[in-house]
PDB file of all heavy atoms in Angstrom:
ATOM      1  N   ILE A  19     105.820  87.371  87.238  1.00  0.00           N
ATOM      2  CA  ILE A  19     106.602  86.741  88.288  1.00  0.00           C
ATOM      3  C   ILE A  19     106.316  85.246  88.269  1.00  0.00           C
ATOM      4  O   ILE A  19     105.174  84.816  88.138  1.00  0.00           O
ATOM      5  CB  ILE A  19     106.293  87.367  89.669  1.00  0.00           C
ATOM      6  CG1 ILE A  19     107.206  86.788  90.745  1.00  0.00           C
ATOM      7  CG2 ILE A  19     104.824  87.204  90.040  1.00  0.00           C
ATOM      8  CD1 ILE A  19     107.154  87.570  92.055  1.00  0.00           C
ATOM      9  N   THR A  20     107.359  84.453  88.402  1.00  0.00           N
ATOM     10  CA  THR A  20     107.238  83.004  88.351  1.00  0.00           C
ATOM     11  C   THR A  20     107.065  82.427  89.743  1.00  0.00           C
ATOM     12  O   THR A  20     107.090  83.137  90.748  1.00  0.00           O
ATOM     13  CB  THR A  20     108.469  82.377  87.689  1.00  0.00           C
ATOM     14  OG1 THR A  20     109.603  82.527  88.561  1.00  0.00           O
ATOM     15  CG2 THR A  20     108.779  83.048  86.363  1.00  0.00           C
ATOM     16  N   ASN A  21     106.898  81.104  89.797  1.00  0.00           N
ATOM     17  CA  ASN A  21     106.759  80.441  91.088  1.00  0.00           C
ATOM     18  C   ASN A  21     108.045  80.478  91.901  1.00  0.00           C
ATOM     19  O   ASN A  21     108.007  80.264  93.118  1.00  0.00           O
ATOM     20  CB  ASN A  21     106.294  78.999  90.895  1.00  0.00           C
ATOM     21  CG  ASN A  21     107.244  78.181  90.037  1.00  0.00           C
ATOM     22  OD1 ASN A  21     108.114  78.718  89.355  1.00  0.00           O
ATOM     23  ND2 ASN A  21     107.068  76.868  90.054  1.00  0.00           N
ATOM     24  N   SER A  22     109.155  80.735  91.255  1.00  0.00           N
ATOM     25  CA  SER A  22     110.426  80.876  91.947  1.00  0.00           C
ATOM     26  C   SER A  22     110.771  82.329  92.236  1.00  0.00           C
ATOM     27  O   SER A  22     111.890  82.633  92.643  1.00  0.00           O
ATOM     28  CB  SER A  22     111.550  80.228  91.141  1.00  0.00           C
ATOM     29  OG  SER A  22     111.711  80.854  89.884  1.00  0.00           O
ATOM     30  N   ALA A  23     109.805  83.224  91.996  1.00  0.00           N
ATOM     31  CA  ALA A  23     109.938  84.651  92.273  1.00  0.00           C
ATOM     32  C   ALA A  23     110.850  85.374  91.295  1.00  0.00           C
ATOM     33  O   ALA A  23     111.280  86.504  91.570  1.00  0.00           O
ATOM     34  CB  ALA A  23     110.398  84.891  93.709  1.00  0.00           C
ATOM     35  N   SER A  24     111.141  84.758  90.182  1.00  0.00           N
ATOM     36  CA  SER A  24     111.857  85.456  89.123  1.00  0.00           C
ATOM     37  C   SER A  24     110.911  86.458  88.465  1.00  0.00           C
ATOM     38  O   SER A  24     109.744  86.159  88.228  1.00  0.00           O
ATOM     39  CB  SER A  24     112.377  84.465  88.095  1.00  0.00           C
ATOM     40  OG  SER A  24     113.022  85.128  87.029  1.00  0.00           O
ATOM     41  N   THR A  25     111.408  87.648  88.171  1.00  0.00           N
ATOM     42  CA  THR A  25     110.560  88.712  87.638  1.00  0.00           C
ATOM     43  C   THR A  25     111.090  89.248  86.319  1.00  0.00           C
ATOM     44  O   THR A  25     112.294  89.202  86.042  1.00  0.00           O
ATOM     45  CB  THR A  25     110.448  89.878  88.632  1.00  0.00           C
ATOM     46  OG1 THR A  25     111.758  90.394  88.915  1.00  0.00           O
ATOM     47  CG2 THR A  25     109.805  89.417  89.928  1.00  0.00           C
ATOM     48  N   ASP A  26     110.173  89.764  85.524  1.00  0.00           N
ATOM     49  CA  ASP A  26     110.499  90.436  84.273  1.00  0.00           C
ATOM     50  C   ASP A  26     109.583  91.633  84.127  1.00  0.00           C
ATOM     51  O   ASP A  26     108.427  91.606  84.564  1.00  0.00           O
ATOM     52  CB  ASP A  26     110.335  89.507  83.074  1.00  0.00           C
ATOM     53  CG  ASP A  26     111.361  88.396  83.038  1.00  0.00           C
ATOM     54  OD1 ASP A  26     112.546  88.694  82.787  1.00  0.00           O
ATOM     55  OD2 ASP A  26     110.980  87.227  83.269  1.00  0.00           O
ATOM     56  N   TYR A  27     110.094  92.674  83.485  1.00  0.00           N
ATOM     57  CA  TYR A  27     109.342  93.903  83.322  1.00  0.00           C
ATOM     58  C   TYR A  27     109.456  94.419  81.900  1.00  0.00           C
ATOM     59  O   TYR A  27     110.477  94.231  81.230  1.00  0.00           O
ATOM     60  CB  TYR A  27     109.857  94.991  84.266  1.00  0.00           C
ATOM     61  CG  TYR A  27     109.743  94.643  85.722  1.00  0.00           C
ATOM     62  CD1 TYR A  27     110.785  94.020  86.390  1.00  0.00           C
ATOM     63  CD2 TYR A  27     108.582  94.942  86.434  1.00  0.00           C
ATOM     64  CE1 TYR A  27     110.681  93.701  87.736  1.00  0.00           C
ATOM     65  CE2 TYR A  27     108.470  94.626  87.776  1.00  0.00           C
ATOM     66  CZ  TYR A  27     109.526  94.005  88.416  1.00  0.00           C
ATOM     67  OH  TYR A  27     109.417  93.688  89.756  1.00  0.00           O
ATOM     68  N   ALA A  28     108.407  95.078  81.462  1.00  0.00           N
ATOM     69  CA  ALA A  28     108.492  95.813  80.216  1.00  0.00           C
ATOM     70  C   ALA A  28     109.499  96.945  80.368  1.00  0.00           C
ATOM     71  O   ALA A  28     109.638  97.528  81.446  1.00  0.00           O
ATOM     72  CB  ALA A  28     107.124  96.372  79.837  1.00  0.00           C
ATOM     73  N   ASP A  29     110.194  97.254  79.291  1.00  0.00           N
ATOM     74  CA  ASP A  29     111.202  98.307  79.358  1.00  0.00           C
ATOM     75  C   ASP A  29     110.614  99.636  79.825  1.00  0.00           C
ATOM     76  O   ASP A  29     111.286 100.420  80.501  1.00  0.00           O
ATOM     77  CB  ASP A  29     111.868  98.490  77.995  1.00  0.00           C
ATOM     78  CG  ASP A  29     112.781  97.341  77.629  1.00  0.00           C
ATOM     79  OD1 ASP A  29     113.204  96.599  78.534  1.00  0.00           O
ATOM     80  OD2 ASP A  29     113.078  97.182  76.432  1.00  0.00           O
ATOM     81  N   SER A  30     109.373  99.881  79.482  1.00  0.00           N
ATOM     82  CA  SER A  30     108.749 101.152  79.800  1.00  0.00           C
ATOM     83  C   SER A  30     108.495 101.348  81.290  1.00  0.00           C
ATOM     84  O   SER A  30     108.266 102.477  81.732  1.00  0.00           O
ATOM     85  CB  SER A  30     107.431 101.303  79.038  1.00  0.00           C
ATOM     86  OG  SER A  30     106.536 100.255  79.366  1.00  0.00           O
ATOM     87  N   VAL A  31     108.539 100.272  82.075  1.00  0.00           N
ATOM     88  CA  VAL A  31     108.247 100.385  83.498  1.00  0.00           C
ATOM     89  C   VAL A  31     109.410  99.960  84.378  1.00  0.00           C
ATOM     90  O   VAL A  31     109.311 100.058  85.611  1.00  0.00           O
ATOM     91  CB  VAL A  31     106.997  99.578  83.887  1.00  0.00           C
ATOM     92  CG1 VAL A  31     105.815  99.970  83.012  1.00  0.00           C
ATOM     93  CG2 VAL A  31     107.260  98.076  83.795  1.00  0.00           C
ATOM     94  N   LYS A  32     110.499  99.517  83.799  1.00  0.00           N
ATOM     95  CA  LYS A  32     111.645  99.090  84.585  1.00  0.00           C
ATOM     96  C   LYS A  32     112.146 100.220  85.472  1.00  0.00           C
ATOM     97  O   LYS A  32     112.282 101.358  85.035  1.00  0.00           O
ATOM     98  CB  LYS A  32     112.775  98.613  83.675  1.00  0.00           C
ATOM     99  CG  LYS A  32     112.547  97.247  83.068  1.00  0.00           C
ATOM    100  CD  LYS A  32     113.742  96.810  82.225  1.00  0.00           C
ATOM    101  CE  LYS A  32     113.533  95.426  81.649  1.00  0.00           C
ATOM    102  NZ  LYS A  32     114.660  95.006  80.779  1.00  0.00           N
ATOM    103  N   GLY A  33     112.411  99.877  86.715  1.00  0.00           N
ATOM    104  CA  GLY A  33     112.873 100.863  87.667  1.00  0.00           C
ATOM    105  C   GLY A  33     111.769 101.622  88.357  1.00  0.00           C
ATOM    106  O   GLY A  33     112.033 102.342  89.330  1.00  0.00           O
ATOM    107  N   ARG A  34     110.539 101.496  87.881  1.00  0.00           N
ATOM    108  CA  ARG A  34     109.411 102.209  88.465  1.00  0.00           C
ATOM    109  C   ARG A  34     108.363 101.275  89.061  1.00  0.00           C
ATOM    110  O   ARG A  34     107.722 101.622  90.053  1.00  0.00           O
ATOM    111  CB  ARG A  34     108.738 103.105  87.421  1.00  0.00           C
ATOM    112  CG  ARG A  34     109.671 104.156  86.829  1.00  0.00           C
ATOM    113  CD  ARG A  34     108.912 105.141  85.940  1.00  0.00           C
ATOM    114  NE  ARG A  34     108.296 104.481  84.790  1.00  0.00           N
ATOM    115  CZ  ARG A  34     106.986 104.426  84.567  1.00  0.00           C
ATOM    116  NH1 ARG A  34     106.141 105.016  85.415  1.00  0.00           N
ATOM    117  NH2 ARG A  34     106.516 103.817  83.487  1.00  0.00           N
ATOM    118  N   PHE A  35     108.174 100.105  88.453  1.00  0.00           N
ATOM    119  CA  PHE A  35     107.170  99.146  88.911  1.00  0.00           C
ATOM    120  C   PHE A  35     107.853  97.953  89.556  1.00  0.00           C
ATOM    121  O   PHE A  35     108.955  97.553  89.150  1.00  0.00           O
ATOM    122  CB  PHE A  35     106.316  98.647  87.747  1.00  0.00           C
ATOM    123  CG  PHE A  35     105.375  99.662  87.163  1.00  0.00           C
ATOM    124  CD1 PHE A  35     105.449 101.005  87.499  1.00  0.00           C
ATOM    125  CD2 PHE A  35     104.401  99.262  86.262  1.00  0.00           C
ATOM    126  CE1 PHE A  35     104.584 101.942  86.959  1.00  0.00           C
ATOM    127  CE2 PHE A  35     103.524 100.174  85.710  1.00  0.00           C
ATOM    128  CZ  PHE A  35     103.610 101.516  86.052  1.00  0.00           C
ATOM    129  N   THR A  36     107.184  97.367  90.535  1.00  0.00           N
ATOM    130  CA  THR A  36     107.679  96.176  91.203  1.00  0.00           C
ATOM    131  C   THR A  36     106.548  95.169  91.358  1.00  0.00           C
ATOM    132  O   THR A  36     105.521  95.480  91.958  1.00  0.00           O
ATOM    133  CB  THR A  36     108.264  96.497  92.589  1.00  0.00           C
ATOM    134  OG1 THR A  36     109.299  97.475  92.470  1.00  0.00           O
ATOM    135  CG2 THR A  36     108.846  95.234  93.217  1.00  0.00           C
ATOM    136  N   ILE A  37     106.741  93.976  90.823  1.00  0.00           N
ATOM    137  CA  ILE A  37     105.764  92.914  90.977  1.00  0.00           C
ATOM    138  C   ILE A  37     106.208  91.995  92.105  1.00  0.00           C
ATOM    139  O   ILE A  37     107.399  91.731  92.275  1.00  0.00           O
ATOM    140  CB  ILE A  37     105.574  92.132  89.660  1.00  0.00           C
ATOM    141  CG1 ILE A  37     104.394  91.156  89.771  1.00  0.00           C
ATOM    142  CG2 ILE A  37     106.841  91.410  89.248  1.00  0.00           C
ATOM    143  CD1 ILE A  37     104.014  90.503  88.451  1.00  0.00           C
ATOM    144  N   SER A  38     105.250  91.518  92.886  1.00  0.00           N
ATOM    145  CA  SER A  38     105.558  90.630  93.989  1.00  0.00           C
ATOM    146  C   SER A  38     104.384  89.691  94.217  1.00  0.00           C
ATOM    147  O   SER A  38     103.316  89.853  93.616  1.00  0.00           O
ATOM    148  CB  SER A  38     105.885  91.418  95.266  1.00  0.00           C
ATOM    149  OG  SER A  38     104.782  92.212  95.665  1.00  0.00           O
ATOM    150  N   ARG A  39     104.597  88.726  95.094  1.00  0.00           N
ATOM    151  CA  ARG A  39     103.542  87.766  95.387  1.00  0.00           C
ATOM    152  C   ARG A  39     103.646  87.300  96.826  1.00  0.00           C
ATOM    153  O   ARG A  39     104.729  87.267  97.416  1.00  0.00           O
ATOM    154  CB  ARG A  39     103.622  86.564  94.436  1.00  0.00           C
ATOM    155  CG  ARG A  39     104.944  85.798  94.515  1.00  0.00           C
ATOM    156  CD  ARG A  39     105.073  84.784  93.384  1.00  0.00           C
ATOM    157  NE  ARG A  39     104.113  83.699  93.511  1.00  0.00           N
ATOM    158  CZ  ARG A  39     103.867  82.798  92.551  1.00  0.00           C
ATOM    159  NH1 ARG A  39     104.503  82.880  91.389  1.00  0.00           N
ATOM    160  NH2 ARG A  39     102.987  81.834  92.758  1.00  0.00           N
ATOM    161  N   ASP A  40     102.512  86.937  97.385  1.00  0.00           N
ATOM    162  CA  ASP A  40     102.432  86.360  98.718  1.00  0.00           C
ATOM    163  C   ASP A  40     101.700  85.040  98.559  1.00  0.00           C
ATOM    164  O   ASP A  40     100.471  85.007  98.460  1.00  0.00           O
ATOM    165  CB  ASP A  40     101.695  87.291  99.680  1.00  0.00           C
ATOM    166  CG  ASP A  40     101.718  86.791 101.113  1.00  0.00           C
ATOM    167  OD1 ASP A  40     101.782  85.570 101.330  1.00  0.00           O
ATOM    168  OD2 ASP A  40     101.672  87.626 102.031  1.00  0.00           O
ATOM    169  N   ASN A  41     102.451  83.963  98.512  1.00  0.00           N
ATOM    170  CA  ASN A  41     101.849  82.654  98.261  1.00  0.00           C
ATOM    171  C   ASN A  41     100.885  82.236  99.369  1.00  0.00           C
ATOM    172  O   ASN A  41      99.887  81.559  99.107  1.00  0.00           O
ATOM    173  CB  ASN A  41     102.943  81.597  98.098  1.00  0.00           C
ATOM    174  CG  ASN A  41     103.748  81.786  96.827  1.00  0.00           C
ATOM    175  OD1 ASN A  41     103.272  82.371  95.851  1.00  0.00           O
ATOM    176  ND2 ASN A  41     104.976  81.286  96.814  1.00  0.00           N
ATOM    177  N   GLY A  42     101.177  82.621 100.596  1.00  0.00           N
ATOM    178  CA  GLY A  42     100.295  82.282 101.701  1.00  0.00           C
ATOM    179  C   GLY A  42      98.930  82.924 101.580  1.00  0.00           C
ATOM    180  O   GLY A  42      97.929  82.370 102.041  1.00  0.00           O
ATOM    181  N   LYS A  43      98.872  84.089 100.964  1.00  0.00           N
ATOM    182  CA  LYS A  43      97.613  84.809 100.775  1.00  0.00           C
ATOM    183  C   LYS A  43      97.030  84.623  99.388  1.00  0.00           C
ATOM    184  O   LYS A  43      95.962  85.164  99.093  1.00  0.00           O
ATOM    185  CB  LYS A  43      97.810  86.298 101.041  1.00  0.00           C
ATOM    186  CG  LYS A  43      98.207  86.631 102.472  1.00  0.00           C
ATOM    187  CD  LYS A  43      98.364  88.138 102.650  1.00  0.00           C
ATOM    188  CE  LYS A  43      98.727  88.488 104.077  1.00  0.00           C
ATOM    189  NZ  LYS A  43      98.895  89.957 104.256  1.00  0.00           N
ATOM    190  N   ASN A  44      97.734  83.876  98.530  1.00  0.00           N
ATOM    191  CA  ASN A  44      97.315  83.719  97.138  1.00  0.00           C
ATOM    192  C   ASN A  44      97.033  85.068  96.493  1.00  0.00           C
ATOM    193  O   ASN A  44      96.018  85.261  95.811  1.00  0.00           O
ATOM    194  CB  ASN A  44      96.091  82.809  97.040  1.00  0.00           C
ATOM    195  CG  ASN A  44      96.442  81.343  97.155  1.00  0.00           C
ATOM    196  OD1 ASN A  44      97.539  80.919  96.797  1.00  0.00           O
ATOM    197  ND2 ASN A  44      95.495  80.545  97.648  1.00  0.00           N
ATOM    198  N   THR A  45      97.939  85.974  96.703  1.00  0.00           N
ATOM    199  CA  THR A  45      97.765  87.340  96.238  1.00  0.00           C
ATOM    200  C   THR A  45      99.028  87.845  95.564  1.00  0.00           C
ATOM    201  O   THR A  45     100.135  87.581  96.027  1.00  0.00           O
ATOM    202  CB  THR A  45      97.398  88.274  97.405  1.00  0.00           C
ATOM    203  OG1 THR A  45      96.184  87.817  98.015  1.00  0.00           O
ATOM    204  CG2 THR A  45      97.195  89.700  96.916  1.00  0.00           C
ATOM    205  N   GLY A  46      98.846  88.555  94.481  1.00  0.00           N
ATOM    206  CA  GLY A  46      99.934  89.213  93.799  1.00  0.00           C
ATOM    207  C   GLY A  46      99.765  90.713  93.877  1.00  0.00           C
ATOM    208  O   GLY A  46      98.659  91.228  94.099  1.00  0.00           O
ATOM    209  N   TYR A  47     100.858  91.429  93.676  1.00  0.00           N
ATOM    210  CA  TYR A  47     100.847  92.877  93.799  1.00  0.00           C
ATOM    211  C   TYR A  47     101.647  93.508  92.669  1.00  0.00           C
ATOM    212  O   TYR A  47     102.573  92.908  92.123  1.00  0.00           O
ATOM    213  CB  TYR A  47     101.450  93.323  95.129  1.00  0.00           C
ATOM    214  CG  TYR A  47     100.814  92.697  96.342  1.00  0.00           C
ATOM    215  CD1 TYR A  47     101.345  91.537  96.904  1.00  0.00           C
ATOM    216  CD2 TYR A  47      99.684  93.254  96.921  1.00  0.00           C
ATOM    217  CE1 TYR A  47     100.765  90.957  98.012  1.00  0.00           C
ATOM    218  CE2 TYR A  47      99.096  92.679  98.036  1.00  0.00           C
ATOM    219  CZ  TYR A  47      99.638  91.531  98.580  1.00  0.00           C
ATOM    220  OH  TYR A  47      99.060  90.955  99.680  1.00  0.00           O
ATOM    221  N   LEU A  48     101.282  94.720  92.352  1.00  0.00           N
ATOM    222  CA  LEU A  48     102.060  95.539  91.444  1.00  0.00           C
ATOM    223  C   LEU A  48     102.197  96.912  92.067  1.00  0.00           C
ATOM    224  O   LEU A  48     101.227  97.675  92.122  1.00  0.00           O
ATOM    225  CB  LEU A  48     101.407  95.640  90.064  1.00  0.00           C
ATOM    226  CG  LEU A  48     102.220  96.407  89.020  1.00  0.00           C
ATOM    227  CD1 LEU A  48     103.499  95.648  88.673  1.00  0.00           C
ATOM    228  CD2 LEU A  48     101.398  96.666  87.765  1.00  0.00           C
ATOM    229  N   GLN A  49     103.387  97.209  92.564  1.00  0.00           N
ATOM    230  CA  GLN A  49     103.680  98.521  93.109  1.00  0.00           C
ATOM    231  C   GLN A  49     104.138  99.419  91.978  1.00  0.00           C
ATOM    232  O   GLN A  49     105.110  99.112  91.287  1.00  0.00           O
ATOM    233  CB  GLN A  49     104.770  98.421  94.185  1.00  0.00           C
ATOM    234  CG  GLN A  49     105.199  99.756  94.776  1.00  0.00           C
ATOM    235  CD  GLN A  49     104.112 100.400  95.598  1.00  0.00           C
ATOM    236  OE1 GLN A  49     103.442  99.730  96.377  1.00  0.00           O
ATOM    237  NE2 GLN A  49     103.920 101.703  95.415  1.00  0.00           N
ATOM    238  N   MET A  50     103.441 100.520  91.785  1.00  0.00           N
ATOM    239  CA  MET A  50     103.728 101.438  90.693  1.00  0.00           C
ATOM    240  C   MET A  50     104.150 102.778  91.276  1.00  0.00           C
ATOM    241  O   MET A  50     103.366 103.446  91.952  1.00  0.00           O
ATOM    242  CB  MET A  50     102.506 101.596  89.789  1.00  0.00           C
ATOM    243  CG  MET A  50     101.979 100.280  89.232  1.00  0.00           C
ATOM    244  SD  MET A  50     100.601 100.505  88.068  1.00  0.00           S
ATOM    245  CE  MET A  50      99.364 101.180  89.182  1.00  0.00           C
ATOM    246  N   ASP A  51     105.377 103.156  91.009  1.00  0.00           N
ATOM    247  CA  ASP A  51     105.932 104.412  91.492  1.00  0.00           C
ATOM    248  C   ASP A  51     106.303 105.295  90.309  1.00  0.00           C
ATOM    249  O   ASP A  51     106.444 104.835  89.181  1.00  0.00           O
ATOM    250  CB  ASP A  51     107.167 104.167  92.359  1.00  0.00           C
ATOM    251  CG  ASP A  51     106.881 103.355  93.596  1.00  0.00           C
ATOM    252  OD1 ASP A  51     105.839 103.590  94.239  1.00  0.00           O
ATOM    253  OD2 ASP A  51     107.714 102.478  93.940  1.00  0.00           O
ATOM    254  N   SER A  52     106.486 106.569  90.598  1.00  0.00           N
ATOM    255  CA  SER A  52     106.869 107.538  89.567  1.00  0.00           C
ATOM    256  C   SER A  52     105.972 107.435  88.346  1.00  0.00           C
ATOM    257  O   SER A  52     106.433 107.387  87.202  1.00  0.00           O
ATOM    258  CB  SER A  52     108.336 107.340  89.167  1.00  0.00           C
ATOM    259  OG  SER A  52     109.195 107.489  90.279  1.00  0.00           O
ATOM    260  N   LEU A  53     104.688 107.414  88.587  1.00  0.00           N
ATOM    261  CA  LEU A  53     103.729 107.207  87.508  1.00  0.00           C
ATOM    262  C   LEU A  53     103.729 108.361  86.513  1.00  0.00           C
ATOM    263  O   LEU A  53     103.933 109.519  86.881  1.00  0.00           O
ATOM    264  CB  LEU A  53     102.333 107.008  88.080  1.00  0.00           C
ATOM    265  CG  LEU A  53     102.092 105.622  88.688  1.00  0.00           C
ATOM    266  CD1 LEU A  53     100.872 105.630  89.596  1.00  0.00           C
ATOM    267  CD2 LEU A  53     101.925 104.584  87.580  1.00  0.00           C
ATOM    268  N   LYS A  54     103.499 108.011  85.267  1.00  0.00           N
ATOM    269  CA  LYS A  54     103.466 108.950  84.164  1.00  0.00           C
ATOM    270  C   LYS A  54     102.106 108.884  83.484  1.00  0.00           C
ATOM    271  O   LYS A  54     101.417 107.870  83.565  1.00  0.00           O
ATOM    272  CB  LYS A  54     104.557 108.620  83.141  1.00  0.00           C
ATOM    273  CG  LYS A  54     105.963 108.530  83.706  1.00  0.00           C
ATOM    274  CD  LYS A  54     106.938 108.057  82.638  1.00  0.00           C
ATOM    275  CE  LYS A  54     108.343 107.938  83.186  1.00  0.00           C
ATOM    276  NZ  LYS A  54     109.294 107.452  82.144  1.00  0.00           N
ATOM    277  N   PRO A  55     101.717 109.944  82.781  1.00  0.00           N
ATOM    278  CA  PRO A  55     100.438 109.897  82.064  1.00  0.00           C
ATOM    279  C   PRO A  55     100.334 108.716  81.102  1.00  0.00           C
ATOM    280  O   PRO A  55      99.234 108.174  80.920  1.00  0.00           O
ATOM    281  CB  PRO A  55     100.410 111.232  81.318  1.00  0.00           C
ATOM    282  CG  PRO A  55     101.208 112.148  82.184  1.00  0.00           C
ATOM    283  CD  PRO A  55     102.320 111.285  82.735  1.00  0.00           C
TER     284      PRO A  55
END
């Protein structure tokens, strides 16, 4: 994720993972859903 909140994902995780950021907290996140082995 860029400073303008533009995001890119690997093809293997598209639609399942979501990257985000909270600039006020200086924290980034990766929400992972529908996890696979």
Side-chain angles (χ1 to χ4, degrees):
I19 185 168
T20 70
N21 59 345
S22 62
S24 177
T25 59
D26 291 290
Y27 299 92
D29 289 340
S30 59
V31 306
K32 285 183 178 178
R34 300 188 298 117
F35 290 11
T36 303
I37 189 171
S38 61
R39 60 190 293 169
D40 186 331
N41 292 335
K43 297 181 179 179
N44 281 331
T45 301
Y47 305 93
L48 184 67
Q49 177 68 43
M50 304 184 295
D51 298 319
S52 301
L53 284 163
K54 306 174 181 179

